[in-house]
């Protein structure tokens, strides 16, 4: 159960990071214009916060519940 929960949360946080990075790359692509997103810097700021939160959660998950190496 513990391993499955770890895998599920790790996949969730990883997906959030990939999704946010993709959206930022889409905003930065000069060939794509998204008229309903006038505040590009605000949107990218929100996406960077999503990445930061997910990376922090992933680090905490690994620290507290990751596999421990034994000598």
């Amino acid at each position: 159960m513990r391993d499955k929960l770890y895998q599920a949360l790790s996949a969730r946080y990883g997906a959030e990071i990939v999704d946010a990075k993709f959206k930022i790359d889409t905003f930065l692509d000069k060939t794509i214009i998204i008229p309903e997103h006038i505040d590009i810097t605000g949107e990218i700021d929100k996406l960077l916060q999503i990445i930061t939160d997910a990376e922090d959660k992933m680090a905490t998950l690994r620290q507290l519940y990751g596999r421990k190496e034994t000598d």
Side-chain angles (χ1 to χ4, degrees), residues 3-14:
D3 285 340
K4 288 185 180 186
L5 178 61
Y6 181 89
Q7 290 172 356
L9 289 173
S10 181
R12 174 186 288 182
Y13 303 146

Side-chain angles (χ1 to χ4, degrees), residues 5-45:
L5 178 61
Y6 181 89
Q7 290 172 356
L9 289 173
S10 181
R12 174 186 288 182
Y13 303 146
E16 289 176 3
I17 292 166
V18 169
D19 181 61
K21 285 181 178 180
F22 172 75
K23 289 175 182 174
I24 290 171
D25 290 343
T26 301
F27 281 130
L28 298 177
D29 186 353
K30 294 179 183 179
T31 62
I32 296 176
I33 298 172
I34 305 171
E36 66 270 10
H37 289 108
I38 296 169
D39 183 13
I40 300 298
T41 55
E43 290 298 317
I44 291 176
D45 184 61

Side-chain angles (χ1 to χ4, degrees), residues 1-2 6 16 19-20 28 42 45 51 54-56 61 64:
M1 172 91 168
R2 183 180 178 133
Y6 181 89
E16 289 176 3
D19 181 61
L28 298 177
D45 184 61
I51 292 169
E55 287 177 342
D56 287 348
L61 180 67
L64 296 177

